[in-house]
Amino acid sequence: MRKESIGFAAVVAAAFLWGVGGSVAKFLFNQAVSPFLLVKIRLTLSFLLLTAGIACYNRHLLVISRRDIPYFAVLGMGGMAFMQFSYFFTISLTNVATAVFLQYMSPILMAAYAVLWEKEKLTLRRTGAVLLAMLGGLFILLNSGEVAGLSWMGIISGVGSAFFMAFCTIYGRRAVRNYHPLTAAAYSFGFGALMWWILLPGLWEPGSITVEHWYMFWYVAVFSTVLPFLLYFTGMRFLSPTSVGIIACLEPAIAAAVAYAALGENMGLLQIVGGSFVLAAVLLIQTESKEPEENKNAA
């Protein structure tokens, strides 16, 4: 019971830190920091911090096979780099709650992939989850005319962040099967950072980045990336994947509350209803994986 409590507390803490991180990013965007620069610095600092920590903890975790380098390059440069950017870009164009709710449609995309490409059965629960997610997304779209700052480009980017998150999860299964999760995260961050240094090789204009900005950059890298990932992995050690997924659904609610308190962001009625539908769809998908095991135990 004590281990389950530790796991629960760890995942709740991770969800809280991720939720706060969205408001910190929005603050930087309001200070004229571009999403391009933030994602490049976030991935770079996160990679350096995580690599240094792994080297101190167990340097053997940094060793990967040469044949897996192209695989991690695709995972980082084709998945992690654009997942992080599309999420930040959505925040910059809309608001924190919209960005998080749209990204949380990724489990629905993963379920659709499983049905279409892995030939898994389309159950009644999955059908209901897909319909709820589509309806929720529609309400968020309809709400775009009610909340200042929302744009179609932001909505498209938000759906893109869900797509890239689903890609990272599906394509990254091989990474966590063959390597420690810390190894997978480190190389994903590293190749993701490399991608943005290739696309944006320059630094920034002198004087455009203040000391306060650097405090925020370090906050995003430490408290919105490295630390919550470690807490999330800790929770996975003591809880089932279903429990972890359900607890992590606290993130959108936390993000919306923090954005309301810290940034004064408001949510329209349709956005609240749409976000609730998206979360309900995620819960349906998360709890479905528990049914076979429960039925097996009952038998």
PDB file of all heavy atoms in Angstrom, residues 62-95:
ATOM      1  N   LEU A  62      23.750   5.203 -20.927  1.00  0.00           N
ATOM      2  CA  LEU A  62      23.951   6.067 -22.090  1.00  0.00           C
ATOM      3  C   LEU A  62      24.429   5.293 -23.316  1.00  0.00           C
ATOM      4  O   LEU A  62      24.568   5.866 -24.394  1.00  0.00           O
ATOM      5  CB  LEU A  62      24.955   7.168 -21.763  1.00  0.00           C
ATOM      6  CG  LEU A  62      24.514   8.195 -20.706  1.00  0.00           C
ATOM      7  CD1 LEU A  62      25.650   9.148 -20.385  1.00  0.00           C
ATOM      8  CD2 LEU A  62      23.288   8.966 -21.193  1.00  0.00           C
ATOM      9  N   VAL A  63      24.674   4.010 -23.153  1.00  0.00           N
ATOM     10  CA  VAL A  63      25.203   3.194 -24.253  1.00  0.00           C
ATOM     11  C   VAL A  63      24.041   2.597 -25.051  1.00  0.00           C
ATOM     12  O   VAL A  63      23.144   1.963 -24.498  1.00  0.00           O
ATOM     13  CB  VAL A  63      26.095   2.051 -23.723  1.00  0.00           C
ATOM     14  CG1 VAL A  63      26.602   1.198 -24.880  1.00  0.00           C
ATOM     15  CG2 VAL A  63      27.263   2.625 -22.926  1.00  0.00           C
ATOM     16  N   ILE A  64      24.060   2.833 -26.362  1.00  0.00           N
ATOM     17  CA  ILE A  64      23.076   2.223 -27.258  1.00  0.00           C
ATOM     18  C   ILE A  64      23.808   1.560 -28.424  1.00  0.00           C
ATOM     19  O   ILE A  64      24.971   1.864 -28.703  1.00  0.00           O
ATOM     20  CB  ILE A  64      22.069   3.253 -27.802  1.00  0.00           C
ATOM     21  CG1 ILE A  64      22.776   4.297 -28.674  1.00  0.00           C
ATOM     22  CG2 ILE A  64      21.288   3.901 -26.682  1.00  0.00           C
ATOM     23  CD1 ILE A  64      21.818   5.226 -29.389  1.00  0.00           C
ATOM     24  N   SER A  65      23.127   0.665 -29.089  1.00  0.00           N
ATOM     25  CA  SER A  65      23.706  -0.007 -30.242  1.00  0.00           C
ATOM     26  C   SER A  65      23.804   0.960 -31.425  1.00  0.00           C
ATOM     27  O   SER A  65      22.951   1.834 -31.607  1.00  0.00           O
ATOM     28  CB  SER A  65      22.841  -1.212 -30.628  1.00  0.00           C
ATOM     29  OG  SER A  65      23.250  -1.766 -31.858  1.00  0.00           O
ATOM     30  N   ARG A  66      24.845   0.804 -32.232  1.00  0.00           N
ATOM     31  CA  ARG A  66      25.011   1.661 -33.406  1.00  0.00           C
ATOM     32  C   ARG A  66      23.835   1.541 -34.365  1.00  0.00           C
ATOM     33  O   ARG A  66      23.419   2.526 -34.975  1.00  0.00           O
ATOM     34  CB  ARG A  66      26.309   1.288 -34.146  1.00  0.00           C
ATOM     35  CG  ARG A  66      27.573   1.750 -33.439  1.00  0.00           C
ATOM     36  CD  ARG A  66      28.784   1.459 -34.328  1.00  0.00           C
ATOM     37  NE  ARG A  66      30.019   1.909 -33.688  1.00  0.00           N
ATOM     38  CZ  ARG A  66      31.233   1.795 -34.255  1.00  0.00           C
ATOM     39  NH1 ARG A  66      31.340   1.215 -35.452  1.00  0.00           N
ATOM     40  NH2 ARG A  66      32.287   2.242 -33.624  1.00  0.00           N
ATOM     41  N   ARG A  67      23.299   0.348 -34.471  1.00  0.00           N
ATOM     42  CA  ARG A  67      22.189   0.150 -35.411  1.00  0.00           C
ATOM     43  C   ARG A  67      20.922   0.851 -34.956  1.00  0.00           C
ATOM     44  O   ARG A  67      19.990   1.031 -35.753  1.00  0.00           O
ATOM     45  CB  ARG A  67      21.919  -1.337 -35.587  1.00  0.00           C
ATOM     46  CG  ARG A  67      21.438  -2.029 -34.322  1.00  0.00           C
ATOM     47  CD  ARG A  67      21.296  -3.524 -34.533  1.00  0.00           C
ATOM     48  NE  ARG A  67      20.837  -4.196 -33.315  1.00  0.00           N
ATOM     49  CZ  ARG A  67      20.722  -5.510 -33.197  1.00  0.00           C
ATOM     50  NH1 ARG A  67      21.028  -6.288 -34.226  1.00  0.00           N
ATOM     51  NH2 ARG A  67      20.301  -6.040 -32.066  1.00  0.00           N
ATOM     52  N   ASP A  68      20.860   1.256 -33.675  1.00  0.00           N
ATOM     53  CA  ASP A  68      19.680   1.949 -33.175  1.00  0.00           C
ATOM     54  C   ASP A  68      19.806   3.465 -33.269  1.00  0.00           C
ATOM     55  O   ASP A  68      18.851   4.184 -32.939  1.00  0.00           O
ATOM     56  CB  ASP A  68      19.425   1.561 -31.706  1.00  0.00           C
ATOM     57  CG  ASP A  68      18.852   0.159 -31.574  1.00  0.00           C
ATOM     58  OD1 ASP A  68      18.172  -0.279 -32.524  1.00  0.00           O
ATOM     59  OD2 ASP A  68      19.088  -0.488 -30.541  1.00  0.00           O
ATOM     60  N   ILE A  69      20.957   3.966 -33.700  1.00  0.00           N
ATOM     61  CA  ILE A  69      21.121   5.418 -33.824  1.00  0.00           C
ATOM     62  C   ILE A  69      20.124   6.015 -34.821  1.00  0.00           C
ATOM     63  O   ILE A  69      19.471   7.021 -34.514  1.00  0.00           O
ATOM     64  CB  ILE A  69      22.573   5.764 -34.209  1.00  0.00           C
ATOM     65  CG1 ILE A  69      23.522   5.405 -33.050  1.00  0.00           C
ATOM     66  CG2 ILE A  69      22.699   7.249 -34.569  1.00  0.00           C
ATOM     67  CD1 ILE A  69      24.986   5.642 -33.362  1.00  0.00           C
ATOM     68  N   PRO A  70      19.960   5.430 -36.032  1.00  0.00           N
ATOM     69  CA  PRO A  70      18.945   5.982 -36.946  1.00  0.00           C
ATOM     70  C   PRO A  70      17.536   5.937 -36.354  1.00  0.00           C
ATOM     71  O   PRO A  70      16.733   6.850 -36.590  1.00  0.00           O
ATOM     72  CB  PRO A  70      19.061   5.085 -38.175  1.00  0.00           C
ATOM     73  CG  PRO A  70      20.442   4.523 -38.118  1.00  0.00           C
ATOM     74  CD  PRO A  70      20.732   4.340 -36.669  1.00  0.00           C
ATOM     75  N   TYR A  71      17.248   4.881 -35.605  1.00  0.00           N
ATOM     76  CA  TYR A  71      15.927   4.774 -34.986  1.00  0.00           C
ATOM     77  C   TYR A  71      15.695   5.934 -34.014  1.00  0.00           C
ATOM     78  O   TYR A  71      14.644   6.591 -34.060  1.00  0.00           O
ATOM     79  CB  TYR A  71      15.800   3.437 -34.245  1.00  0.00           C
ATOM     80  CG  TYR A  71      14.624   3.382 -33.303  1.00  0.00           C
ATOM     81  CD1 TYR A  71      13.344   3.140 -33.781  1.00  0.00           C
ATOM     82  CD2 TYR A  71      14.799   3.601 -31.938  1.00  0.00           C
ATOM     83  CE1 TYR A  71      12.260   3.109 -32.921  1.00  0.00           C
ATOM     84  CE2 TYR A  71      13.718   3.572 -31.077  1.00  0.00           C
ATOM     85  CZ  TYR A  71      12.451   3.328 -31.559  1.00  0.00           C
ATOM     86  OH  TYR A  71      11.376   3.311 -30.700  1.00  0.00           O
ATOM     87  N   PHE A  72      16.661   6.194 -33.139  1.00  0.00           N
ATOM     88  CA  PHE A  72      16.515   7.287 -32.178  1.00  0.00           C
ATOM     89  C   PHE A  72      16.518   8.644 -32.881  1.00  0.00           C
ATOM     90  O   PHE A  72      15.883   9.592 -32.398  1.00  0.00           O
ATOM     91  CB  PHE A  72      17.628   7.225 -31.126  1.00  0.00           C
ATOM     92  CG  PHE A  72      17.341   6.259 -30.005  1.00  0.00           C
ATOM     93  CD1 PHE A  72      18.041   5.069 -29.899  1.00  0.00           C
ATOM     94  CD2 PHE A  72      16.366   6.537 -29.067  1.00  0.00           C
ATOM     95  CE1 PHE A  72      17.768   4.171 -28.871  1.00  0.00           C
ATOM     96  CE2 PHE A  72      16.087   5.655 -28.038  1.00  0.00           C
ATOM     97  CZ  PHE A  72      16.790   4.468 -27.936  1.00  0.00           C
ATOM     98  N   ALA A  73      17.212   8.737 -34.002  1.00  0.00           N
ATOM     99  CA  ALA A  73      17.204   9.982 -34.773  1.00  0.00           C
ATOM    100  C   ALA A  73      15.797  10.283 -35.279  1.00  0.00           C
ATOM    101  O   ALA A  73      15.323  11.430 -35.218  1.00  0.00           O
ATOM    102  CB  ALA A  73      18.187   9.900 -35.936  1.00  0.00           C
ATOM    103  N   VAL A  74      15.105   9.264 -35.784  1.00  0.00           N
ATOM    104  CA  VAL A  74      13.729   9.449 -36.253  1.00  0.00           C
ATOM    105  C   VAL A  74      12.810   9.783 -35.078  1.00  0.00           C
ATOM    106  O   VAL A  74      11.958  10.681 -35.167  1.00  0.00           O
ATOM    107  CB  VAL A  74      13.234   8.189 -36.989  1.00  0.00           C
ATOM    108  CG1 VAL A  74      11.742   8.307 -37.304  1.00  0.00           C
ATOM    109  CG2 VAL A  74      14.033   7.963 -38.256  1.00  0.00           C
ATOM    110  N   LEU A  75      12.979   9.082 -33.963  1.00  0.00           N
ATOM    111  CA  LEU A  75      12.150   9.316 -32.792  1.00  0.00           C
ATOM    112  C   LEU A  75      12.319  10.747 -32.276  1.00  0.00           C
ATOM    113  O   LEU A  75      11.332  11.416 -31.939  1.00  0.00           O
ATOM    114  CB  LEU A  75      12.505   8.316 -31.686  1.00  0.00           C
ATOM    115  CG  LEU A  75      11.726   8.441 -30.368  1.00  0.00           C
ATOM    116  CD1 LEU A  75      10.234   8.226 -30.594  1.00  0.00           C
ATOM    117  CD2 LEU A  75      12.257   7.448 -29.340  1.00  0.00           C
ATOM    118  N   GLY A  76      13.566  11.210 -32.224  1.00  0.00           N
ATOM    119  CA  GLY A  76      13.818  12.539 -31.692  1.00  0.00           C
ATOM    120  C   GLY A  76      13.543  13.651 -32.681  1.00  0.00           C
ATOM    121  O   GLY A  76      12.847  14.635 -32.367  1.00  0.00           O
ATOM    122  N   MET A  77      14.074  13.503 -33.918  1.00  0.00           N
ATOM    123  CA  MET A  77      13.968  14.570 -34.904  1.00  0.00           C
ATOM    124  C   MET A  77      12.610  14.590 -35.601  1.00  0.00           C
ATOM    125  O   MET A  77      12.113  15.652 -35.986  1.00  0.00           O
ATOM    126  CB  MET A  77      15.081  14.430 -35.938  1.00  0.00           C
ATOM    127  CG  MET A  77      16.473  14.458 -35.317  1.00  0.00           C
ATOM    128  SD  MET A  77      17.815  14.134 -36.489  1.00  0.00           S
ATOM    129  CE  MET A  77      17.957  15.743 -37.268  1.00  0.00           C
ATOM    130  N   GLY A  78      11.994  13.432 -35.752  1.00  0.00           N
ATOM    131  CA  GLY A  78      10.697  13.367 -36.421  1.00  0.00           C
ATOM    132  C   GLY A  78       9.524  13.368 -35.475  1.00  0.00           C
ATOM    133  O   GLY A  78       8.387  13.635 -35.891  1.00  0.00           O
ATOM    134  N   GLY A  79       9.768  13.061 -34.185  1.00  0.00           N
ATOM    135  CA  GLY A  79       8.684  12.991 -33.225  1.00  0.00           C
ATOM    136  C   GLY A  79       8.794  14.021 -32.118  1.00  0.00           C
ATOM    137  O   GLY A  79       8.003  14.962 -32.037  1.00  0.00           O
ATOM    138  N   MET A  80       9.810  13.856 -31.253  1.00  0.00           N
ATOM    139  CA  MET A  80       9.950  14.718 -30.093  1.00  0.00           C
ATOM    140  C   MET A  80      10.084  16.187 -30.470  1.00  0.00           C
ATOM    141  O   MET A  80       9.457  17.063 -29.851  1.00  0.00           O
ATOM    142  CB  MET A  80      11.165  14.279 -29.268  1.00  0.00           C
ATOM    143  CG  MET A  80      11.403  15.099 -28.009  1.00  0.00           C
ATOM    144  SD  MET A  80      10.080  14.943 -26.783  1.00  0.00           S
ATOM    145  CE  MET A  80      10.324  13.243 -26.242  1.00  0.00           C
ATOM    146  N   ALA A  81      10.886  16.499 -31.491  1.00  0.00           N
ATOM    147  CA  ALA A  81      11.122  17.887 -31.877  1.00  0.00           C
ATOM    148  C   ALA A  81       9.823  18.589 -32.263  1.00  0.00           C
ATOM    149  O   ALA A  81       9.560  19.718 -31.831  1.00  0.00           O
ATOM    150  CB  ALA A  81      12.125  17.942 -33.034  1.00  0.00           C
ATOM    151  N   PHE A  82       8.996  17.931 -33.062  1.00  0.00           N
ATOM    152  CA  PHE A  82       7.777  18.570 -33.545  1.00  0.00           C
ATOM    153  C   PHE A  82       6.629  18.442 -32.557  1.00  0.00           C
ATOM    154  O   PHE A  82       5.716  19.272 -32.563  1.00  0.00           O
ATOM    155  CB  PHE A  82       7.398  17.990 -34.907  1.00  0.00           C
ATOM    156  CG  PHE A  82       8.350  18.402 -35.998  1.00  0.00           C
ATOM    157  CD1 PHE A  82       9.302  17.523 -36.485  1.00  0.00           C
ATOM    158  CD2 PHE A  82       8.316  19.689 -36.505  1.00  0.00           C
ATOM    159  CE1 PHE A  82      10.186  17.907 -37.472  1.00  0.00           C
ATOM    160  CE2 PHE A  82       9.191  20.090 -37.492  1.00  0.00           C
ATOM    161  CZ  PHE A  82      10.136  19.198 -37.978  1.00  0.00           C
ATOM    162  N   MET A  83       6.655  17.435 -31.702  1.00  0.00           N
ATOM    163  CA  MET A  83       5.643  17.351 -30.653  1.00  0.00           C
ATOM    164  C   MET A  83       5.782  18.529 -29.695  1.00  0.00           C
ATOM    165  O   MET A  83       4.808  19.204 -29.360  1.00  0.00           O
ATOM    166  CB  MET A  83       5.763  16.036 -29.877  1.00  0.00           C
ATOM    167  CG  MET A  83       4.749  15.908 -28.742  1.00  0.00           C
ATOM    168  SD  MET A  83       4.983  14.445 -27.710  1.00  0.00           S
ATOM    169  CE  MET A  83       6.450  14.922 -26.789  1.00  0.00           C
ATOM    170  N   GLN A  84       7.025  18.788 -29.255  1.00  0.00           N
ATOM    171  CA  GLN A  84       7.267  19.897 -28.338  1.00  0.00           C
ATOM    172  C   GLN A  84       6.935  21.236 -28.991  1.00  0.00           C
ATOM    173  O   GLN A  84       6.306  22.104 -28.377  1.00  0.00           O
ATOM    174  CB  GLN A  84       8.736  19.889 -27.892  1.00  0.00           C
ATOM    175  CG  GLN A  84       9.183  18.644 -27.164  1.00  0.00           C
ATOM    176  CD  GLN A  84       8.659  18.586 -25.742  1.00  0.00           C
ATOM    177  OE1 GLN A  84       8.183  19.566 -25.202  1.00  0.00           O
ATOM    178  NE2 GLN A  84       8.742  17.426 -25.125  1.00  0.00           N
ATOM    179  N   PHE A  85       7.358  21.405 -30.259  1.00  0.00           N
ATOM    180  CA  PHE A  85       7.118  22.683 -30.917  1.00  0.00           C
ATOM    181  C   PHE A  85       5.636  22.929 -31.155  1.00  0.00           C
ATOM    182  O   PHE A  85       5.123  24.023 -30.879  1.00  0.00           O
ATOM    183  CB  PHE A  85       7.852  22.748 -32.265  1.00  0.00           C
ATOM    184  CG  PHE A  85       7.396  23.905 -33.112  1.00  0.00           C
ATOM    185  CD1 PHE A  85       7.763  25.199 -32.782  1.00  0.00           C
ATOM    186  CD2 PHE A  85       6.569  23.704 -34.208  1.00  0.00           C
ATOM    187  CE1 PHE A  85       7.308  26.281 -33.535  1.00  0.00           C
ATOM    188  CE2 PHE A  85       6.120  24.766 -34.960  1.00  0.00           C
ATOM    189  CZ  PHE A  85       6.500  26.060 -34.630  1.00  0.00           C
ATOM    190  N   SER A  86       4.916  21.947 -31.676  1.00  0.00           N
ATOM    191  CA  SER A  86       3.499  22.147 -31.985  1.00  0.00           C
ATOM    192  C   SER A  86       2.702  22.457 -30.726  1.00  0.00           C
ATOM    193  O   SER A  86       1.758  23.260 -30.754  1.00  0.00           O
ATOM    194  CB  SER A  86       2.929  20.926 -32.706  1.00  0.00           C
ATOM    195  OG  SER A  86       3.136  19.741 -31.951  1.00  0.00           O
ATOM    196  N   TYR A  87       3.091  21.858 -29.592  1.00  0.00           N
ATOM    197  CA  TYR A  87       2.424  22.153 -28.320  1.00  0.00           C
ATOM    198  C   TYR A  87       2.660  23.605 -27.915  1.00  0.00           C
ATOM    199  O   TYR A  87       1.712  24.341 -27.582  1.00  0.00           O
ATOM    200  CB  TYR A  87       2.932  21.192 -27.250  1.00  0.00           C
ATOM    201  CG  TYR A  87       2.438  21.496 -25.850  1.00  0.00           C
ATOM    202  CD1 TYR A  87       1.091  21.353 -25.530  1.00  0.00           C
ATOM    203  CD2 TYR A  87       3.306  21.916 -24.857  1.00  0.00           C
ATOM    204  CE1 TYR A  87       0.626  21.627 -24.250  1.00  0.00           C
ATOM    205  CE2 TYR A  87       2.852  22.192 -23.574  1.00  0.00           C
ATOM    206  CZ  TYR A  87       1.522  22.048 -23.267  1.00  0.00           C
ATOM    207  OH  TYR A  87       1.062  22.321 -22.013  1.00  0.00           O
ATOM    208  N   PHE A  88       3.917  24.055 -27.963  1.00  0.00           N
ATOM    209  CA  PHE A  88       4.230  25.432 -27.611  1.00  0.00           C
ATOM    210  C   PHE A  88       3.607  26.414 -28.602  1.00  0.00           C
ATOM    211  O   PHE A  88       3.131  27.484 -28.224  1.00  0.00           O
ATOM    212  CB  PHE A  88       5.747  25.647 -27.569  1.00  0.00           C
ATOM    213  CG  PHE A  88       6.398  25.113 -26.326  1.00  0.00           C
ATOM    214  CD1 PHE A  88       7.699  24.623 -26.366  1.00  0.00           C
ATOM    215  CD2 PHE A  88       5.737  25.094 -25.116  1.00  0.00           C
ATOM    216  CE1 PHE A  88       8.314  24.132 -25.233  1.00  0.00           C
ATOM    217  CE2 PHE A  88       6.338  24.604 -23.971  1.00  0.00           C
ATOM    218  CZ  PHE A  88       7.631  24.119 -24.022  1.00  0.00           C
ATOM    219  N   PHE A  89       3.618  26.059 -29.880  1.00  0.00           N
ATOM    220  CA  PHE A  89       3.057  26.932 -30.901  1.00  0.00           C
ATOM    221  C   PHE A  89       1.551  27.109 -30.677  1.00  0.00           C
ATOM    222  O   PHE A  89       1.013  28.209 -30.849  1.00  0.00           O
ATOM    223  CB  PHE A  89       3.319  26.346 -32.291  1.00  0.00           C
ATOM    224  CG  PHE A  89       3.023  27.282 -33.417  1.00  0.00           C
ATOM    225  CD1 PHE A  89       3.694  28.490 -33.533  1.00  0.00           C
ATOM    226  CD2 PHE A  89       2.082  26.956 -34.380  1.00  0.00           C
ATOM    227  CE1 PHE A  89       3.419  29.364 -34.574  1.00  0.00           C
ATOM    228  CE2 PHE A  89       1.805  27.816 -35.431  1.00  0.00           C
ATOM    229  CZ  PHE A  89       2.481  29.022 -35.525  1.00  0.00           C
ATOM    230  N   THR A  90       0.884  26.028 -30.262  1.00  0.00           N
ATOM    231  CA  THR A  90      -0.545  26.109 -29.966  1.00  0.00           C
ATOM    232  C   THR A  90      -0.796  27.030 -28.781  1.00  0.00           C
ATOM    233  O   THR A  90      -1.720  27.852 -28.804  1.00  0.00           O
ATOM    234  CB  THR A  90      -1.118  24.711 -29.656  1.00  0.00           C
ATOM    235  OG1 THR A  90      -0.840  23.837 -30.749  1.00  0.00           O
ATOM    236  CG2 THR A  90      -2.618  24.775 -29.431  1.00  0.00           C
ATOM    237  N   ILE A  91       0.024  26.923 -27.744  1.00  0.00           N
ATOM    238  CA  ILE A  91      -0.117  27.806 -26.584  1.00  0.00           C
ATOM    239  C   ILE A  91       0.054  29.256 -26.995  1.00  0.00           C
ATOM    240  O   ILE A  91      -0.681  30.148 -26.553  1.00  0.00           O
ATOM    241  CB  ILE A  91       0.903  27.434 -25.493  1.00  0.00           C
ATOM    242  CG1 ILE A  91       0.553  26.080 -24.866  1.00  0.00           C
ATOM    243  CG2 ILE A  91       0.941  28.508 -24.396  1.00  0.00           C
ATOM    244  CD1 ILE A  91       1.548  25.621 -23.817  1.00  0.00           C
ATOM    245  N   SER A  92       1.039  29.523 -27.863  1.00  0.00           N
ATOM    246  CA  SER A  92       1.315  30.902 -28.267  1.00  0.00           C
ATOM    247  C   SER A  92       0.162  31.507 -29.060  1.00  0.00           C
ATOM    248  O   SER A  92      -0.061  32.725 -28.999  1.00  0.00           O
ATOM    249  CB  SER A  92       2.603  30.962 -29.091  1.00  0.00           C
ATOM    250  OG  SER A  92       2.436  30.370 -30.367  1.00  0.00           O
ATOM    251  N   LEU A  93      -0.584  30.681 -29.789  1.00  0.00           N
ATOM    252  CA  LEU A  93      -1.664  31.188 -30.631  1.00  0.00           C
ATOM    253  C   LEU A  93      -3.031  31.132 -29.958  1.00  0.00           C
ATOM    254  O   LEU A  93      -3.947  31.857 -30.347  1.00  0.00           O
ATOM    255  CB  LEU A  93      -1.731  30.395 -31.941  1.00  0.00           C
ATOM    256  CG  LEU A  93      -0.548  30.546 -32.901  1.00  0.00           C
ATOM    257  CD1 LEU A  93      -0.741  29.664 -34.123  1.00  0.00           C
ATOM    258  CD2 LEU A  93      -0.370  32.006 -33.315  1.00  0.00           C
ATOM    259  N   THR A  94      -3.192  30.242 -28.976  1.00  0.00           N
ATOM    260  CA  THR A  94      -4.494  30.087 -28.333  1.00  0.00           C
ATOM    261  C   THR A  94      -4.358  30.363 -26.837  1.00  0.00           C
ATOM    262  O   THR A  94      -4.037  31.464 -26.446  1.00  0.00           O
ATOM    263  CB  THR A  94      -5.045  28.669 -28.581  1.00  0.00           C
ATOM    264  OG1 THR A  94      -4.169  27.702 -28.007  1.00  0.00           O
ATOM    265  CG2 THR A  94      -5.179  28.397 -30.066  1.00  0.00           C
ATOM    266  N   ASN A  95      -4.628  29.375 -26.014  1.00  0.00           N
ATOM    267  CA  ASN A  95      -4.393  29.476 -24.584  1.00  0.00           C
ATOM    268  C   ASN A  95      -3.962  28.118 -24.056  1.00  0.00           C
ATOM    269  O   ASN A  95      -3.990  27.120 -24.781  1.00  0.00           O
ATOM    270  CB  ASN A  95      -5.641  29.991 -23.842  1.00  0.00           C
ATOM    271  CG  ASN A  95      -6.869  29.145 -24.106  1.00  0.00           C
ATOM    272  OD1 ASN A  95      -6.828  27.923 -23.992  1.00  0.00           O
ATOM    273  ND2 ASN A  95      -7.974  29.789 -24.474  1.00  0.00           N
TER     274      ASN A  95
END
